[in-house]
Amino acid sequence: MEKILFIQTGFGVDVHGQNITKASERAVRNAIFTNSMPGIRSQLPDNSLENMVVNIKLALPCDADKLDEEVIRAIIPYGTVTIETMPGGMLTTSGIFLEDKEDKNDLMYIVNASVETGY
């Protein structure tokens, strides 16, 4: 990325089901869904949203190999999206095992996200 215009951060949790993609999706949505960037088009080359570059960094507590990156990419409607994962986040108990919620154990997955937007 030549120039970073915005950095947004968020976190997401999957309380039941131990799904790293679901927790990651929630983290990215948490980072971007309370923001508006009305002037971004004028900041991008050729004033085109397709020239936007979005780097998503995810700190995952486990199961990085199970992350469905296409689900994460689909959250961003424009430009080129890259995803980088690193160790981080948190595993902690949900306090209860619920078989009907597809729990494999009583852990909840907490993921941190940084979403860098620029060109």
Side-chain angles (χ1 to χ4, degrees):
M1 184 177 309
E2 181 181 324
K3 186 170 185 178
I4 296 175
L5 300 173
F6 301 95
I7 298 175
Q8 303 150 300
T9 60
F11 79 98
V13 182
D14 185 28
V15 177
H16 296 287
Q18 296 74 44
N19 185 317
I20 201 68
T21 299
K22 187 181 291 185
S24 297
E25 181 179 15
R26 289 173 177 165
V28 171
R29 289 184 188 284
N30 179 252
I32 68 171
F33 274 21
T34 58
N35 297 286
S36 177
M37 300 183 292
I40 192 165
R41 190 182 311 239
S42 65
Q43 300 282 323
L44 297 172
D46 299 324
N47 294 322
S48 174
L49 292 174
E50 291 310 316
N51 290 326
M52 182 170 66
V53 174
V54 179
N55 294 334
I56 298 173
K57 296 178 181 177
L58 298 170
L60 308 176
C62 64
D63 294 345
D65 60 317
K66 295 180 182 174
L67 179 68
D68 186 340
E69 291 189 4
E70 292 310 309
V71 169
I72 305 306
R73 270 190 191 86
I75 298 168
I76 309 298
Y78 305 106
T80 302
V81 179
T82 63
I83 298 171
E84 176 185 349
T85 64
M86 61 198 72
M90 177 185 278
L91 294 175
T92 190
T93 183
S94 68
I96 188 170
F97 175 91
L98 297 173
E99 191 172 332
D100 64 317
K101 297 292 184 184
E102 300 180 18
D103 273 347
K104 300 166 196 72
N105 51 53
D106 72 339
L107 292 177
M108 66 171 79
Y109 288 12
I110 303 173
V111 171
N112 300 100
S114 174
V115 180
E116 303 170 345
T117 304
Y119 61 89

